[in-house]
Amino acid sequence: MGLTLSFQFFDLPLQHPFTISRYTVNIQKTVVVCISDGAISGYGEATVNPYYQSTTERLTASLLEVKPIVESALDVHPNELWQQLSTMIPDDYFALCAVDIAYWDYYSRKQSKTLRSFWSKDDDATPVTSYTIGIDSLEMMQQKMIEKPWPMYKIKLGTAEDIFIVESLRKITDAIFRIDANCAWTAQQTINNAKILKELNVEFIEQPLKAEDIEGMKQVRKQSVLPVIADESCQREADVAACSEIFHGINIKLMKCGGITPALRMISKAKEQGLLIMAGCMTESTVGISGLCQIAPLLTYLDADGALLLKDDIARGVDFNFGQIVYSKDFGTGVKMLKK
């Protein structure tokens, strides 16, 4: 029997409004792709994100375009399929990601293997995931930490009171902090803030400057007392080499790079450059998070809390115990859909 590719959009309500320096989200729309032979099914996900030109219309068009190729791909290796699909929808990395993860999931389930076993041992150590605290009133940011005790928090900043916020949050927890400024700071602000933040047990700063501010990042790279990790500056495989000169590490987002297949190549290149390697997520369901966590054994840092921010999830799979990944015992990514 041949393969079928189907997809469905879902609305994911969040526990709290999620704000970064660019926008606020209350309900996250997402698409789940299913690749099935009738007996075995694999699942992948991509979120709707207008900032990255990922819309329901564009995702629908891209998925319909690649559907005939995927449905004739029985026994094709995922690397080979990704190459074919990337020539058909070369600029829709979100759709590529959803199909790539779904096919990897199907491919590994068919071989009765966990997906991560293709590049690591099932019991290899994995980094602890951070839990994200979006921009909010100080009282609400503190309340979120009280509601969710966690060993490591990523704090979204980009306000006029950033240092005061971190100082205030530090008073209620001794957890490790990571700072994500989402392009909101200047070079000098970053250098100055890093000195204070280091004393507040901050581990690193993620994407402090706008992606196009290359000269500013060169200055930060030389003078910051904390590591700086690229996010918006490192979206694709081709960005890794350039980032190695102006950052200490990179944050790989599967949806931005096109899935697990290119992410593995980015990890390999980053290791060659001696970079710290992080992988992050969008506000997504357990479908996407379970795919992301398959590469966790290869990483220095992990930010895989997207599904933890939801009020209502649509799948089971990977879970977390105080930040530590708890993998499903099932093959593939371990995803089981709860909602159809």
Side-chain angles (χ1 to χ4, degrees), residues 40-280:
I40 298 170
S41 298
Y43 299 94
E45 180 177 8
T47 60
V48 171
N49 191 321
Y51 183 79
Y52 292 103
Q53 294 78 53
S54 177
T55 63
T56 53
E57 295 79 12
R58 189 180 191 200
L59 286 166
T60 298
S62 294
L63 293 171
L64 290 175
E65 185 169 352
V66 301
K67 181 178 166 75
I69 299 299
V70 174
E71 293 186 342
S72 62
L74 200 63
D75 297 327
V76 172
H77 191 277
N79 292 347
E80 184 181 336
L81 180 62
W82 193 91
Q83 291 300 332
Q84 292 181 52
L85 301 184
S86 64
T87 63
M88 298 181 67
I89 50 171
D91 298 318
D92 194 343
Y93 290 90
F94 279 56
L96 272 172
C97 172
V99 177
D100 183 66
I101 296 176
Y103 189 72
W104 265 115
D105 187 21
Y106 168 78
Y107 186 83
S108 52
R109 288 180 197 248
K110 191 175 180 186
Q111 297 189 39
S112 300
K113 296 175 67 172
T114 64
L115 179 45
R116 65 191 182 280
S117 69
F118 283 88
W119 43 80
S120 63
K121 295 178 182 176
D122 277 352
D123 58 354
D124 279 354
T126 57
V128 170
T129 185
S130 52
Y131 182 84
T132 304
I133 305 295
I135 296 172
D136 209 324
S137 68
L138 179 57
E139 292 73 23
M140 275 304 301
M141 293 175 82
Q142 291 175 324
Q143 184 60 34
K144 289 173 187 176
M145 285 185 168
I146 292 167
E147 285 178 12
K148 194 76 172 179
W150 212 250
M152 192 174 296
Y153 294 101
K154 177 194 272 196
I155 303 167
K156 297 282 189 177
L157 295 178
T159 76
E161 302 291 333
D162 284 345
I163 295 299
F164 175 72
I165 289 170
V166 180
E167 289 173 337
S168 300
L169 295 178
R170 174 50 71 211
K171 293 176 182 177
I172 66 167
T173 178
D174 59 0
I176 294 170
F177 286 171
R178 296 167 174 176
I179 298 302
D180 186 354
N182 280 114
C183 312
W185 292 350
T186 66
Q188 196 56 54
Q189 270 183 302
T190 305
I191 293 163
N192 294 342
N193 288 347
K195 295 172 185 175
I196 302 168
L197 294 172
K198 186 175 182 181
E199 298 302 313
L200 294 168
N201 196 21
V202 168
E203 190 172 29
F204 60 73
I205 300 170
E206 188 179 340
Q207 196 69 40
L209 311 188
K210 289 181 171 60
E212 60 269 20
D213 191 357
I214 307 299
E215 290 307 311
M217 274 313 306
K218 287 180 180 178
Q219 184 183 352
V220 170
R221 175 73 167 77
K222 288 179 183 176
Q223 297 184 46
S224 174
V225 297
L226 286 175
V228 280
I229 308 293
D231 184 3
E232 283 82 356
S233 294
C234 191
Q235 298 187 37
R236 317 272 187 264
E237 190 177 347
D239 298 329
V240 177
C243 284
S244 68
E245 299 179 7
I246 54 175
F247 290 92
H248 300 97
I250 60 169
N251 182 8
I252 299 169
K253 300 274 184 71
L254 298 186
M255 290 183 209
K256 292 182 186 180
C257 73
I260 287 174
T261 299
L264 292 170
R265 296 195 298 262
M266 291 174 74
I267 289 168
S268 178
K269 290 184 176 182
K271 287 186 175 179
E272 289 173 8
Q273 300 284 351
L275 289 167
L276 301 167
I277 306 170
M278 176 181 176

